Amino acid sequence: MFRLDWFRKDPSEKYRMGCGSSFDASDGPRTVVVFGSTGLLGGAIARRLLQEPFLYKVRCVTRRSSGEKARELAEHGAVIVNADLGETKSLEKALEGADIMFLTTHYWEEKNKEKEVIKGLNAIDAAIQCGVKHIIFNGSENVKKIIGKECSHLDSKSAIEEYIREVDNPSVDVTGINNSLPGVFVGTVFLQNYGINFTILRLPFWLENFYSVFKPHKLKHAVYAVALPLEGSELDVMSVEDVGEIVASILRRPRQYYGKTLNLSVESLSMENIVDTFNRHFDNRKFTDPKIRIKDMEKFQFPGSKDLAAMFEFYQSGQAVRDIKLTRKLNPHALTFDRWLSENRDKVEEALREAN
């Protein structure tokens, strides 16, 4: 198990209320701080909440406030805040007076699990310090524990999730905690004492991967391979854009989702389903299943190939349980792959041209 105790040594002073915050209910819109707001997931959530300015004040955290995506969010009413998950003081400033925090962390920028965990814990600690009432986190199962292989970009999120979820553990004893597990449990006990609530989202394979990291690979003129190592299993999928409505649904009835882990998926697809759908939408191209295996992906010579192979092995394991019924309850209009491909054909087309 990934250890957190090396990072949190003696936080007893750290978790006193600060940032001028209060637990008193307030009239008017709730302030939601969105991390990763210029990325796919955070951006989807920010854009959705900005549609309801009478309910939410959206504060978007970025390190690049002058960038085009940040400017677009500002034009739609977001407050743009410069902050870095590696800098605690900037996080406390970003979270000052906030009611809700949506947190997603990013492994692939530095490809360093330990750094991602530290940054996630920094955000949780800052939320505690500032009296944030509800944390929504993009988490994950512990893949290494399930299949015995490292999957850094998911295992890191599992470690952060573990740090958060002890808030709901009634067996934790406050006495003597610093001497037993000084890292994981100290912070979470204070989460419990301060009444911060959490909701964990576990997402499936993103459909947006089909115009990015898993875009079809050109074999020859007008022939493309969809290289996913499913080996006869099915793949849970959804569009990341649809997570925005799911978060909005959670915030409409937050108490219903306090302490809950929501395992999301819009549908489950076989490779035959995926290839057939591509072929229906691109009649000028031919898509095929190269029947790639996990052991083939492990041998690929690109950074992160073993992590991605472990991710698909986890998907094949049957332990990545997702709830289509719940997902459709939270977002009845979430797109199937067929509808998503119809609406995003231009983006996929552009990605295919780049593959030429």
Side-chain angles (χ1 to χ4, degrees):
M1 183 177 71
F2 187 76
R3 294 291 301 278
L4 303 177
D5 53 344
W6 55 268
F7 181 64
R8 295 291 182 257
K9 296 300 182 184
D10 185 17
S12 57
E13 292 297 317
K14 190 169 189 173
Y15 294 100
R16 294 181 179 177
M17 293 293 290
C19 298
S21 58
S22 169
F23 280 100
D24 293 337
S26 59
D27 296 326
R30 289 172 289 171
T31 298
V32 185
V33 175
V34 179
F35 286 85
S37 56
T38 57
L40 283 174
L41 179 55
I45 290 160
R47 287 189 296 273
R48 174 59 186 84
L49 299 182
L50 283 167
Q51 295 174 20
E52 299 187 85
F54 295 107
L55 293 180
Y56 310 111
K57 293 180 179 178
V58 182
R59 195 181 296 171
C60 293
V61 180
T62 180
R63 291 175 299 162
R64 294 174 286 273
S65 59
S66 60
E68 181 181 350
K69 292 181 179 179
R71 288 197 299 271
E72 289 176 357
L73 290 168
E75 288 171 0
H76 287 87
V79 174
I80 308 299
V81 180
N82 272 307
D84 190 319
L85 284 169
E87 298 174 2
T88 302
K89 291 298 182 183
S90 73
L91 294 176
E92 291 178 0
K93 183 177 179 181
L95 288 160
E96 183 175 357
D99 301 293
I100 302 154
M101 175 178 75
F102 174 80
L103 177 64
T104 184
T105 54
H106 188 48
Y107 168 79
W108 295 104
E109 185 174 45
E110 297 181 275
K111 299 183 182 66
N112 186 305
K113 181 173 70 172
E114 287 76 12
K115 286 185 178 180
E116 183 183 2
V117 173
I118 290 171
K119 289 179 177 182
L121 269 58
N122 284 344
I124 301 304
D125 290 346
I128 298 167
Q129 180 75 5
C130 292
V132 173
K133 302 175 186 68
H134 188 185
I135 296 169
I136 302 176
F137 176 62
N138 172 35
S140 173
E141 295 89 343
N142 187 326
V143 174
K144 184 178 181 181
K145 184 176 180 180
I146 293 170
I147 68 169
K149 295 180 182 179
E150 291 272 359
C151 183
S152 296
H153 69 289
L154 296 182
D155 291 339
S156 53
K157 293 170 180 62
S158 175
I160 300 166
E161 181 180 315
E162 178 186 351
Y163 187 70
I164 296 170
R165 75 171 51 258
E166 291 299 331
V167 65
D168 206 32
N169 186 349
S171 65
V172 175
D173 182 2
V174 177
T175 60
I177 265 187
N178 280 336
N179 294 324
S180 58
L181 288 173
V184 176
F185 293 111
V186 169
T188 52
V189 165
F190 278 97
L191 277 170
Q192 187 176 44
N193 290 344
Y194 284 168
I196 293 182
N197 302 287
F198 69 87
T199 305
I200 305 295
L201 306 183
R202 290 180 176 170
L203 304 183
F205 184 86
W206 296 4
L207 293 175
E208 285 74 10
N209 286 325
F210 285 128
Y211 60 70
S212 55
V213 64
F214 287 105
K215 64 186 177 184
H217 174 70
K218 186 176 181 181
L219 297 176
K220 57 184 179 179
H221 178 69
V223 179
Y224 295 82
V226 184
L228 302 180
L230 299 190
E231 300 183 66
S233 63
E234 293 191 344
L235 181 67
D236 281 296
V237 302
M238 73 179 298
S239 169
V240 69
E241 194 67 26
D242 286 327
V243 182
E245 182 60 38
I246 286 171
V247 169
S249 293
I250 292 167
L251 295 182
R252 281 194 288 271
R253 297 179 179 84
R255 293 181 184 276
Q256 185 175 337
Y257 300 103
Y258 286 166
K260 299 291 180 64
T261 299
L262 308 182
N263 299 298
L264 304 176
S265 172
V266 170
E267 61 181 340
S268 185
L269 301 174
S270 67
M271 275 303 299
E272 183 179 3
N273 297 146
I274 293 169
V275 170
D276 286 350
T277 303
F278 269 112
N279 282 321
R280 283 200 309 275
H281 285 271
F282 294 88
D283 55 9
N284 59 335
R285 291 181 170 89
K286 174 68 175 177
F287 294 85
T288 65
D289 172 13
K291 301 190 182 303
I292 186 174
R293 301 165 297 176
I294 297 292
K295 61 183 180 181
D296 298 324
M297 181 168 277
E298 288 176 336
K299 297 174 182 177
F300 287 170
Q301 298 299 308
F302 64 84
S305 60
K306 287 184 171 59
D307 283 317
L308 293 175
M311 178 183 76
F312 279 101
E313 186 170 341
F314 167 57
Y315 290 160
Q316 289 186 24
S317 72
Q319 299 299 306
V321 179
R322 297 294 181 260
D323 192 333
I324 294 173
K325 184 177 179 180
L326 172 64
T327 306
R328 291 190 176 280
K329 174 186 173 184
L330 290 166
N331 185 353
H333 304 292
L335 300 178
T336 62
F337 178 42
D338 184 64
R339 286 180 55 206
W340 178 87
L341 198 51
S342 178
E343 294 189 12
N344 290 271
R345 191 181 190 281
D346 290 347
K347 291 180 180 178
V348 177
E349 185 84 54
E350 182 179 354
L352 295 177
R353 286 197 298 269
E354 290 174 356
N356 290 339

